[in-house]
Amino acid sequence: MRRDAGAAGPLGPGVGASARGAGSARRRRRRWVRYGAGAAAVLVVGAGVAGWAVYAKLEGNITPDEAAAAELARYAQERPTALVKDARNILLIGSDTRSGSGNRAYGRDSGTERSDTTILLHLAAGRRGATAVSLPRDLMVDVPACRRADGSRTEPMFAMFNYAFQTGGSACTVRTVEKLTGIRIDHYMVVDFSGFKEMVDAVDGVEVCLKEPVRDKAAKLRLPAGRVTLDGEQALGYVRARKSLGNGSDTDRMDRQQRFLGALVNKVRSDDVLLNPAKLYPVLDAATSALTTDPELASLRGLYRLVRGLRDIPTDRVRFLTVPRESYVYNANRDQLVEPEAERLFGLLRADAPVRVARGGSSAPGSAEPPGDGASRSPSPSPPVFRGNTAAEDGCV
């Protein structure tokens, strides 16, 4: 018997029987698929545009130092040769510039800037370790002839290390460090006061341990003893203070800076920051906004290539130390290298060999190894242990 088009079959209304029939349902499903695909496409494109905007914003934050690159190219023949493939040496320069709205609170802008802090960061081949060596700003060194900002040139001079940055900027500082150490500098970064503060604030502060309360009017610090989480402003005062913390020496200040950097490394590497886009973006924004770098590094891709293996380095292999130094023989307020210990350190870095550090270490070689079998033989000195710390150490212990 012929079934009417609108009659109900065993599975429901006949095909095309009404607006609520199966054919209509399939048409609705097709429309929803088209609408869903269109919406998904809009979301993908929107996310792509937003992602590109974020990428462009972060990359645009970084300032490439083209003038310094040209100056370094001028002296390419005299620069050291890198000895180990894939090892990298990066010079980190903290500028004390007062220019810019974020830096004016720290003094009058005299139109010049000095290297308040300089760290030579060695990244081992295969990224199996990292060693950060502080170079005192008062270290007496040979500064080569350098180009000033106005185009004139200085004469070679034996002077304090921070004179290099003051007169010839990052290129002069790079050449001075290479002359001092024999180490090829692959990249450099310059960060100012404001950028440092923003980095600390972006990770919601960094915890340090104070053995006693701090009251320092000049550094704007008023802190209790014990574990304290410092915001950006407090952290800047903490790493720069000299009068109220420790013995007032620049060496003590560098030790404090190294412990703080170890704590900052741990905070940035924590899953709470690296796996949380809401926290990671402010960190990247603050970090890139603070940077002036060599042109090769002045891009997110360049930075990524540099640091992509760093998060896998165990914290006990991220080492901090100060170059072996002592009071300058002609002026107790200046520093000079301790030899041959300083050259031993530079040699280890050039060869990409491990550097051992310990809180109780020194710049001198370790004790001689005793004969193991009682036989008479010449003792051989153990590798030197330099005074320093690792990122794995707790500053409160």
Side-chain angles (χ1 to χ4, degrees):
M1 178 177 69
R2 183 177 65 84
R3 190 180 299 276
D4 291 338
L11 298 179
V15 177
S18 69
R20 292 184 295 180
S24 177
R26 279 198 294 271
R27 286 194 297 274
R28 285 200 306 274
R29 283 196 296 271
R30 285 196 295 269
R31 283 198 299 270
W32 278 112
V33 168
R34 288 196 299 270
Y35 295 156
V42 169
L43 288 174
V44 169
V45 171
V49 170
W52 174 253
V54 169
Y55 183 93
K57 165 72 165 60
L58 295 176
E59 180 152 312
N61 285 345
I62 308 169
T63 303
D65 195 344
E66 302 285 355
E71 178 72 355
L72 290 172
R74 176 188 176 104
Y75 293 96
Q77 295 299 318
E78 71 177 34
R79 299 183 64 194
T81 300
L83 301 181
V84 179
K85 184 180 180 181
D86 189 42
R88 292 291 181 269
N89 296 293
I90 302 96
L91 200 63
L92 310 176
I93 304 170
S95 166
D96 72 352
T97 180
R98 268 66 170 179
S99 65
S101 58
N103 298 309
R104 290 173 186 158
Y106 305 102
R108 183 178 61 85
D109 180 13
S110 64
T112 63
E113 54 183 323
R114 292 169 296 180
S115 50
D116 194 63
T117 299
T118 304
I119 295 173
L120 173 58
L121 175 63
H122 175 78
L123 305 179
R127 303 300 176 262
R128 66 183 185 278
T131 304
V133 181
S134 295
L135 301 172
R137 61 185 182 180
D138 294 339
L139 186 68
M140 299 302 294
V141 298
D142 289 310
V143 179
C146 294
R147 182 183 183 277
R148 294 190 181 98
D150 63 5
S152 63
R153 292 196 169 269
T154 65
E155 294 294 327
M157 183 178 296
F158 186 67
M160 290 192 303
F161 174 64
N162 66 357
Y163 172 80
F165 192 74
Q166 180 180 352
T167 57
S170 49
C172 191
T173 303
V174 167
R175 292 178 58 221
T176 299
V177 171
E178 290 183 338
K179 184 178 181 67
L180 178 72
T181 65
I183 296 171
R184 172 75 177 214
I185 303 301
D186 301 292
H187 301 290
Y188 62 87
M189 304 178 184
V190 182
V191 62
D192 62 18
F193 291 159
S194 180
F196 176 84
K197 290 191 306 179
E198 290 172 6
M199 266 290 294
V200 175
D201 285 334
V203 296
D204 295 331
V206 174
E207 184 184 80
V208 298
C209 189
L210 304 175
K211 294 182 179 179
E212 54 189 33
V214 176
R215 302 289 184 269
D216 190 320
K217 194 171 182 179
K220 301 179 182 179
L221 285 179
R222 189 178 180 87
L223 303 169
R227 293 184 182 272
V228 182
T229 297
L230 304 181
D231 63 22
E233 190 72 42
Q234 293 168 327
L236 182 61
Y238 176 75
V239 299
R240 298 189 69 235
R242 296 180 70 166
K243 297 179 181 178
S244 61
L245 291 171
N247 59 19
S249 70
D250 204 39
T251 298
D252 187 80
R253 189 179 73 126
M254 287 185 290
D255 288 345
R256 194 182 331 123
Q257 290 171 348
Q258 292 161 8
R259 290 192 297 272
F260 182 86
L261 288 175
L264 178 60
V265 166
N266 280 328
K267 188 67 179 285
V268 172
R269 284 173 50 131
S270 71
D271 290 347
D272 189 40
V273 173
L274 293 178
L275 300 183
N276 185 339
K279 289 190 175 183
L280 182 58
Y281 174 77
V283 173
L284 293 175
D285 190 35
T288 53
S289 296
L291 290 180
T292 297
T293 75
D294 58 279
E296 185 180 347
L297 207 57
S299 68
L300 288 183
R301 180 173 295 181
L303 288 173
Y304 174 73
R305 282 199 299 264
L306 177 69
V307 304
R308 62 187 170 185
L310 295 185
R311 68 178 184 178
D312 296 325
I313 300 177
T315 52
D316 63 347
R317 294 185 185 177
V318 179
R319 310 171 189 91
F320 300 91
L321 69 152
T322 298
V323 65
R325 43 73 55 201
E326 63 187 0
S327 294
Y328 181 46
V329 65
Y330 298 114
N331 186 339
N333 294 319
R334 304 289 180 261
D335 291 329
Q336 65 184 25
L337 295 180
V338 174
E339 297 293 4
E341 287 77 15
E343 180 51 37
R344 282 199 186 98
L345 173 62
F346 300 150
L348 290 172
L349 297 177
R350 286 193 297 268
D352 195 31
V355 174
R356 298 173 60 199
V357 299
R359 286 190 184 184
S362 68
S363 300
S367 58
E369 298 176 358
D373 55 3
S376 174
R377 61 184 177 87
S378 300
S380 58
S382 61
V385 179
F386 297 93
R387 182 173 175 270
N389 62 282
T390 73
E393 295 178 29
D394 187 337
C396 288
V397 176

